[in-house]
Amino acid sequence: MAAAQYLYLWIVFNLSLFLALAQEENQFIYHGFNNSKLQLGGLAKILPNGLLRLTNTSELESGYAFYPSPFKFNSSSSQTLSFSTTFVFAMVSKAVNFGGNGLAFFISPSMNFTGAVAGAYLGLFNLTNNGQPNNHILAVELDTVESPEFYDIDGNHVGIDVNSLISNQSATASYFSNKEEKNETLELGSGKPIQIWIDYDGTEKLFNVTIAPLKIPKPNRPLLSKHLDLSEVLSESMYVGLSAATGTRISDHYILGWSFNKSGPAQNLDISKLPPPPPIPPPEKTSEGLDRTITVLLVAIAVVLITVGGAVYIVRKKKYEEVYEDWEKEYGPHRLSYKNLYKATKGFKEKEIIGQGGFGQVYRGVLPSNVQIAVKRISHNSNEGMKQFVAEIVSMRRLRHRNLVQLRGYCRPPELLKTGKATTSTDVFAFGAFMLEVACGRRPMEPGMVDLAAWVIDCWKRGAILDVSDPRLEGMYVEEQMELVLKLGLLCSHSNPETRPSMKQVTQYLDGETKLPSITPESTVIGAITARNEVPDIVLSFDSLSESISSHTLSTVDSILVLGR
Ligand SMILES: *[C@@H]1O[C@H](CO)[C@@H](O)[C@H](O)[C@H]1NC(C)=O
Ligand SMILES: *[C@@H]1O[C@H](CO)[C@@H](O)[C@H](O)[C@H]1NC(C)=O
Ligand SMILES: *[C@@H]1O[C@H](CO)[C@@H](O)[C@H](O)[C@H]1NC(C)=O
Ligand SMILES: *[C@@H]1O[C@H](CO)[C@@H](O)[C@H](O)[C@H]1NC(C)=O
Ligand SMILES: *[C@@H]1O[C@H](CO)[C@@H](O)[C@H](O)[C@H]1NC(C)=O
Ligand SMILES: *[C@@H]1O[C@H](CO)[C@@H](O)[C@H](O)[C@H]1NC(C)=O
Ligand SMILES: *[C@@H]1O[C@H](CO)[C@@H](O)[C@H](O)[C@H]1NC(C)=O
Ligand SMILES: *[C@@H]1O[C@H](CO)[C@@H](O)[C@H](O)[C@H]1NC(C)=O
Ligand SMILES: *[C@@H]1O[C@H](CO)[C@@H](O)[C@H](O)[C@H]1NC(C)=O
């Protein structure tokens, strides 16, 4: 009898414990992440002081943190679709408001994001699955880089994303001040801790997102409020996570605390229990005040396309001393001093940026001799492919003393998008796109046109390849040279990286040292790029390449052509 009662008590006890545990799986709260049981992926790391760092400042990387057990969302009962979460984040970059790419809260059916890409994809999607309803991914993005291919409104916005990086609704980061009763803007990438509240009411089907600087109570009015039916998006078993990604722009992305609830409003975070926010580095002021820890490699490349020639300079600076790469010893120092480049670009001023390349920003600059240059800034620890590419260019002494004009930068070449890894042939591709752009005086993708490469091939097929030349030139160019640049541009743009010439070969062709292999518009070599359906990745990335080419670039192109004739 007593034994039976004991057993009964034991069962009741265990049942209630079980219920308590089951209920616990409906919610969690972390003030700092000491001893948290989050599942980390990519670069994510819990620092000794309790901060969760999703990424450091390595380029093109992503980091993830998941609550390790899934939550039950029942699509046939709207009430159970409700959830509420709040967390505190800080995005710290070397140059304030120049970090990237941002972070996201998301709900997904799995914790496997190996196929996803960093950069603008925020570690959540890739070119192929972006926009697919079978992703079943709901995300709120905190995006610090404007990506035109996703119709981003600016480089400081919050967006609600359903299966896609093209947001359902987005707004420039700001918060409603309860006290002042007006909106105040907020810089997501300022490095200061910011709190975000995400609340979804499954019955009302209303999705709210609210942000505010840490210590400011939740604003009475949300930044985003959108009617959304998530019954098709959230499935039975879903994981809750945070992701962050870097691209060519880099930040340390930190999380200070996080609470999530499926059975009521997320519990408020107790600010006094959060780990100390990460320090914000002092802004760069003078060349003396330059960040001492960052080691940068600076590359200035100048190319004359029509008269064929150019120059290359490599500079890197660590603290105040120059650091030499192994390959430099072999080829001799062709470098400008960091100081001169710093002056030329007015201290790498934001205003002087003319493009964002696959490996770093490109700045406009003027040397003391009044020569215009383009400076590509590459971090010293960038990947081997880039180093090889630079070494290869430097090795071309011939290029060095020719008529010095300008260069510009390129962005998001194809393999980079597909694999997230930059290679030498990636830059050759970008260079090809650049040559076509210069010769035609157009962006690679203009409204109403298929794409630049396809258009050049079309004209070539009709025996009128010169028709594509920039009309502003009024025919004042050497026909053979124009033809050479166009054909070489196509060759470099080939969808198969193996088929593209090396940068060394490119200069040899341009120099007239080596004859361009005889190619026809019908040859498979070129043809592949026109076959849109066969190589969707390439053509699509061509599109995104064009999006980032500013009108400023076109005027640069003009001057190259003017000097060229
Ligand atoms: C970022 O973290 C990874 C992995 O821990 C490391 O290999 C890399 O060097 C770090 N990058 C920087 C810039 O600290
Ligand atoms: C989902 O909700 C419906 C309607 O409330 C209910 O009948 C069903 O049992 C629920 N399913 C699960 C797996 O909880
Ligand atoms: C993760 O997904 C990739 C495909 O994207 C797949 O190749 C891999 O096997 C998956 N890993 C696990 C552990 O399921
Ligand atoms: C895109 O991501 C999905 C899902 O992670 C993966 O299965 C697929 O292989 C990826 N595609 C590419 C081209 O990497
Ligand atoms: C918004 O979300 C819905 C899913 O509820 C999706 O089908 C739709 O395509 C999205 N709209 C935009 C503009 O992204
Ligand atoms: C969302 O915001 C609106 C105000 O715009 C408010 O009426 C509603 O209660 C909020 N819903 C949630 C779930 O926070
Ligand atoms: C404040 O911002 C919200 C959300 O972007 C917007 O709907 C509202 O009109 C703004 N209010 C004022 C007074 O500007
Ligand atoms: C979840 O909501 C319930 C009901 O409002 C509340 O008692 C609990 O403290 C909340 N938990 C968290 C972690 O937010
Ligand atoms: C996390 O642990 C470290 C020691 O490992 C301690 O110094 C720190 O205060 C802890 N942080 C929190 C928020 O508990």
Side-chain angles (χ1 to χ4, degrees), residues 105-120:
F105 162 84
F106 63 91
I107 303 184
S108 67
S110 107
M111 293 197 275
N112 183 354
F113 278 80
T114 46
V117 177

Side-chain angles (χ1 to χ4, degrees), residues 118-365:
Y121 288 88
L122 297 175
L124 293 177
F125 300 102
N126 57 36
L127 197 62
T128 329
N129 71 1
N130 187 41
Q132 302 289 330
N134 63 1
N135 288 326
H136 293 284
I137 292 176
L138 164 81
V140 173
E141 61 171 48
L142 298 155
D143 194 345
T144 54
V145 177
E146 181 177 353
S147 306
E149 65 270 41
F150 303 136
Y151 309 105
D152 280 357
I153 51 169
D154 58 23
N156 179 46
H157 62 271
V158 182
I160 302 171
D161 298 348
V162 175
N163 294 323
S164 169
L165 287 153
I166 299 170
S167 301
N168 276 64
Q169 193 183 48
S170 66
T172 302
S174 72
Y175 67 99
F176 179 78
S177 163
N178 297 343
K179 240 193 239 159
E180 311 270 333
E181 298 213 316
K182 67 178 174 98
N183 288 339
E184 307 271 4
T185 57
L186 196 57
E187 290 290 346
L188 295 174
S190 67
K192 294 177 188 148
I194 295 172
Q195 186 165 8
I196 176 168
W197 296 262
I198 300 164
D199 301 287
Y200 181 62
D201 181 333
T203 315
E204 297 282 328
K205 302 193 191 344
L206 191 59
F207 199 104
N208 289 353
V209 181
T210 315
I211 58 170
L214 186 62
K215 292 182 184 157
I216 294 204
K218 186 177 180 179
N220 293 336
R221 296 187 199 166
L223 172 64
L224 300 173
S225 188
K226 167 93 183 154
H227 278 282
L228 265 186
D229 184 353
L230 295 182
S231 60
E232 297 290 310
V233 183
L234 302 177
S235 37
E236 183 66 32
S237 165
M238 301 292 278
Y239 292 90
V240 167
L242 297 169
S243 77
T246 61
T248 55
R249 287 170 53 171
I250 49 176
S251 300
D252 286 311
H253 295 91
Y254 295 98
I255 309 292
L256 284 74
W258 185 15
S259 93
F260 177 88
N261 209 344
K262 266 207 90 273
S263 45
Q267 203 176 303
N268 258 334
L269 294 168
D270 180 346
I271 293 168
S272 67
K273 286 193 199 158
L274 296 177
I280 301 170
E284 296 184 356
K285 275 191 201 123
T286 63
S287 65
E288 277 73 36
L290 264 176
D291 188 333
R292 289 158 195 219
T293 56
I294 195 173
T295 312
V296 288
L297 173 72
L298 292 160
V299 187
I301 313 164
V303 182
V304 179
L305 278 173
I306 308 298
T307 61
V308 185
V312 177
Y313 299 90
I314 310 281
V315 171
R316 184 162 36 79
K317 175 181 190 277
K318 182 180 185 177
K319 260 191 183 174
Y320 306 115
E321 82 208 74
E322 307 273 340
V323 182
Y324 290 82
E325 295 274 351
D326 289 346
W327 48 261
E328 278 187 88
K329 290 177 197 125
E330 197 177 324
Y331 299 117
H334 299 158
R335 44 161 81 209
L336 289 170
S337 76
Y338 179 85
K339 204 169 167 183
N340 282 344
L341 283 185
Y342 188 88
K343 280 187 184 152
T345 56
K346 301 186 184 141
F348 296 103
K349 242 197 181 143
E350 195 170 324
K351 262 175 80 180
E352 302 303 315
I353 290 181
I354 55 174
Q356 189 178 334
F359 308 94
Q361 269 104 11
V362 180
Y363 297 77
R364 175 183 35 192

